[in-house]
Amino acid sequence: MKMNIIHFDKLNSTNAYGLEHFEELSHGDVITTDIQLKGRGRFDRVWSGDFSDDIYMSIIIKPDNSDFPFPNLTQYLSVVTNRVLNRDYVIKSNIKWPNDILFEGKKLAGILSEGKIINGRLAGVVLGIGINVNREVFDDLPNAISLKNITGKENDKNILIETILKEFESGYAEFATDGFLSIMEEYRMMCRFNGGKLKLTASFNDGDYVFERINSDGTISVRDERNDIHKIISGDIQC
Ligand code: BTN
């Protein structure tokens, strides 16, 4: 996989750009922007910034195998990103299932993948990530934190982008064939469930549960108050 960065000073959304230009873009192209005016988050949240200090990027993925593990792609990127943050910035960030990157419960990075359907079939995805790098103040986002807030110093966002992309590329072939199993052990170590109690929203079975396990397909199993086990495929958790 050859990764090729296409940079803009300002875009509405790197994901939207990737989807609009999907056909002319190649597998491995990476859209980045300094300023993102109408960034999209999971569950219709907003992810924008005009500080030019943070990372907004989207990777174009056009798999050539029909059994490509699309559902686990955001988890793959979360492991790669968290690995770089833990190793190179020596911070104890972790993953909140399925793919948020948190530091002491506050959000440091978010990931959103959006599929591109062409002629009725999934042709690929635009895999977007936003990382709070050098922003210091989050007025209306009390639950957000930046790398600068954590490390106390400015960090070169281009070095962080390049390191993440290098790491993404190096494990990609194995992920494309083996799927979640290629990252399962590392993902399980990085995932935090804070004692086990969790509140599930944006899913079919919203409610309060106790965490049981991370399954070998990247889903989680949770236990309700009657001790029934539920397998959760998607959703948002507070824990
Ligand atoms: C989340 O809600 O946690 C996901 C946030 C994803 C934001 C990134 S920033 C780059 C890319 N372009 C977008 O419009 N969104 C994603």
Side-chain angles (χ1 to χ4, degrees):
M1 167 184 233
K2 194 172 138 301
M3 304 199 82
N4 172 39
I5 295 177
I6 304 164
H7 181 72
F8 295 85
D9 294 338
K10 199 190 274 184
L11 275 183
N12 279 337
S13 150
T14 56
N15 267 27
Y17 183 93
L19 288 171
E20 273 157 34
H21 296 85
F22 191 84
E23 271 136 309
E24 73 231 37
L25 289 163
S26 304
H27 177 61
D29 281 352
V30 180
I31 316 300
T32 60
T33 188
D34 282 331
I35 296 174
Q36 177 161 270
L37 300 168
K38 288 189 191 160
R40 317 204 272 234
R42 294 175 73 216
F43 313 115
D44 294 326
R45 289 187 295 233
V46 177
W47 192 288
S48 299
D50 55 1
F51 301 87
S52 74
D53 286 338
D54 296 335
I55 292 176
Y56 309 98
M57 74 170 172
S58 299
I59 305 170
I60 307 299
I61 300 290
K62 300 186 178 188
D64 46 21
N65 51 327
S66 58
D67 55 352
F68 183 80
F70 280 114
N72 303 111
L73 189 57
T74 60
Q75 289 170 310
Y76 175 65
L77 181 57
S78 72
V79 165
V80 163
T81 304
N82 196 49
R83 186 192 300 151
V84 172
L85 291 169
N86 291 173
R87 185 193 63 204
D88 296 1
Y89 298 82
V90 206
I91 64 165
K92 290 193 170 122
S93 52
N94 48 56
I95 298 173
K96 179 172 77 92
W97 183 86
N99 53 50
D100 281 351
I101 296 186
L102 305 187
F103 180 86
E104 292 179 352
K106 292 191 166 183
K107 190 141 161 174
L108 178 57
I111 295 173
L112 173 72
S113 94
E114 297 185 86
K116 179 74 183 182
I117 310 282
I118 300 175
N119 296 332
R121 73 169 261 281
L122 185 61
V125 298
V126 179
L127 177 61
I129 180 166
I131 309 175
N132 302 324
V133 182
N134 289 317
R135 194 190 313 197
E136 281 180 282
V137 184
F138 297 89
D139 287 332
D140 44 353
L141 297 167
N143 218 26
I145 196 164
S146 71
L147 201 49
K148 183 166 188 187
N149 295 149
I150 302 165
T151 62
K153 59 177 185 3
E154 290 271 320
N155 291 280
D156 185 331
K157 67 173 184 172
N158 293 318
I159 292 178
L160 180 52
I161 289 174
E162 279 181 17
T163 317
I164 290 171
L165 293 179
K166 206 187 277 172
E167 208 75 26
F168 186 91
E169 188 180 358
S170 79
Y172 181 82
E174 196 186 337
F175 170 74
T177 46
D178 297 351
F180 187 70
L181 288 180
S182 75
I183 51 159
M184 183 168 73
E185 211 174 308
E186 199 177 0
Y187 183 86
R188 282 180 171 162
M189 279 182 343
M190 289 175 169
C191 233
R192 289 281 176 284
F193 283 95
N194 292 335
K197 284 191 175 163
L198 63 89
K199 186 181 270 303
L200 177 70
T201 52
S203 185
F204 290 118
N205 339 37
D206 286 4
D208 294 309
Y209 296 95
V210 176
F211 169 73
E212 270 290 307
R213 63 178 171 272
I214 296 167
N215 299 307
S216 58
D217 58 1
T219 62
I220 53 171
S221 288
V222 296
R223 190 159 30 90
D224 66 18
E225 73 279 354
R226 296 161 54 203
N227 275 337
D228 289 335
I229 303 286
H230 302 262
K231 182 170 165 168
I232 310 299
I233 296 166
S234 69
D236 198 25
I237 59 170
Q238 282 85 51
C239 56

